[in-house]
Amino acid sequence: KFNANNSDLRQPLVDWLTAKENPYFAPAFANRVWFYLLARGIVNPIDDFRELNPPSHPGLLKLLAGEFTASGYDTRHLFRCICNSQAYQRTSRVHAPKDEQASAALTTAFGRMPLRVMTADLLYDSLKLAYGDEKLDLRGGTAQHNTSGESAAVGDPYLEFQRRFGTNEENATDFTHGIAQMLTMINHPRLLEGSRALDEYRKQNEDASDEQIIEWLYLSTLSRRPTSEELTDAKDYVSQASEADMAYDGVLWMLVNRSEFLLIR
């Protein structure tokens, strides 16, 4: 918008937002980054800054806001500070005793890393990488391809994926996936027909052994190598299959349908 003098008001707005005397910008931004990385804001919900909703760790929020301001609002510096913290690097494993209330309290206090579902955007990008398909289309507009049991698909592949796999943006630990999402993952023809990324890998590595291909599949989906037991099971499955191509597709299908693929740990 422009004022009567036809001058752009966006620059004064940005100057005010990032002014050191502005008490709102740095804490709000730091809180949002903390939420992005640890699934819960220091002020939670993240946009509810008011006296009746105080931060759970006021000293921590003040420290992060001050660090962000002092760095000249360097977002990389803020991310680096949080990612190097003990809070971010804690395990998501729940240690005995398995008390649900104690575990929830520990998570709320940032005493452990919470398990959280990948956002729809992250899941979509992860599947596109695993399948080597930049235009991954999971729409199911026909009776044959309507694998989720939902109404007709929307016109755009991305919007349709958001409709099916959208998560709770206020609480990343809320497991919103259910029958409809699982039916899509296990039944959709596109997720059963194989990976172009795998085809390209095998084309460039014609002498790759079953073990190497299985290891590549694990690294491409779970970002780790298989355990000795997992490797043995996968090799047995591939060796017993009538067609190696279908067997490798089956291993990929198994990996993307594991909770380890869906959850951020």
Side-chain angles (χ1 to χ4, degrees):
K1 295 182 179 180
F2 297 90
N3 62 16
N5 297 323
N6 200 34
S7 60
D8 193 343
L9 294 179
R10 289 176 295 182
Q11 187 60 50
L13 174 61
V14 171
D15 292 340
W16 173 79
L17 281 175
T18 57
K20 291 186 177 181
E21 57 269 20
N22 178 6
Y24 305 109
F25 175 70
F29 192 90
N31 186 61
R32 187 170 288 275
V33 173
W34 185 272
F35 166 81
Y36 178 78
L37 293 172
L38 284 96
R40 180 182 177 86
I42 303 170
V43 172
N44 199 65
I46 55 175
D47 292 324
D48 190 13
F49 273 79
R50 54 191 173 93
E51 291 186 1
L52 295 179
N53 186 39
S56 59
H57 299 69
L60 172 61
L61 184 60
K62 183 178 179 180
L63 176 66
L64 290 173
E67 189 71 28
F68 184 46
T69 302
S71 69
Y73 303 108
D74 186 338
T75 56
R76 289 187 178 184
H77 177 71
L78 181 60
F79 270 88
R80 191 179 299 113
C81 288
I82 297 176
C83 290
N84 282 324
S85 69
Q86 292 183 7
Y88 178 79
Q89 295 178 13
R90 288 192 174 106
T91 180
S92 59
R93 294 181 182 275
V94 179
H95 300 288
K98 294 184 178 179
D99 185 328
E100 291 187 6
Q101 290 185 337
S103 177
L106 189 63
T107 301
T108 302
F110 307 117
R112 61 179 285 266
M113 178 61 72
L115 286 176
R116 55 201 191 278
V117 185
M118 278 198 287
T119 64
D121 281 337
L122 286 175
L123 179 58
Y124 195 37
D125 286 342
S126 298
L127 286 172
K128 287 194 291 187
L129 287 173
Y131 282 86
D133 187 351
E134 185 59 34
K135 298 180 180 180
L136 189 70
D137 191 346
L138 300 187
R139 289 176 294 179
T142 65
Q144 179 184 2
H145 288 172
N146 191 355
T147 56
S148 67
E150 294 184 351
S151 57
V154 298
D156 180 82
Y158 171 76
L159 293 177
E160 171 61 12
F161 195 91
Q162 287 283 345
R163 182 173 77 103
R164 291 195 190 188
F165 291 93
T167 52
N168 183 353
E169 294 183 359
E170 294 294 333
N171 184 1
T173 64
D174 182 14
F175 192 84
T176 53
H177 288 216
I179 294 175
Q181 291 77 20
M182 183 56 66
L183 286 174
T184 297
M185 292 294 292
I186 66 176
N187 291 327
H188 199 284
R190 176 62 193 91
L191 301 180
L192 293 171
E193 70 180 22
S195 166
R196 297 170 188 171
L198 174 59
D199 293 341
E200 185 63 27
Y201 171 79
R202 295 183 64 193
K203 185 184 298 183
Q204 295 179 4
N205 300 270
E206 296 181 356
D207 297 328
S209 63
D210 289 345
E211 181 173 334
Q212 290 173 316
I213 295 174
I214 292 167
E215 183 177 275
W216 183 89
L217 285 169
Y218 267 82
L219 289 171
S220 300
T221 53
L222 305 185
S223 299
R224 66 170 177 84
R225 290 178 171 82
T227 65
S228 57
E229 183 178 358
E230 289 171 334
L231 180 60
T232 299
D233 289 343
K235 287 174 65 176
D236 288 345
Y237 171 75
V238 171
S239 64
Q240 294 172 16
S242 57
E243 296 184 26
D245 291 346
M246 293 184 63
Y248 294 135
D249 292 343
V251 173
L252 174 62
W253 178 89
M254 175 272 295
L255 291 170
V256 299
N257 280 292
R258 291 181 61 162
S259 61
E260 187 177 349
F261 180 78
L262 183 64
L263 297 173
I264 299 175
R265 300 169 182 266

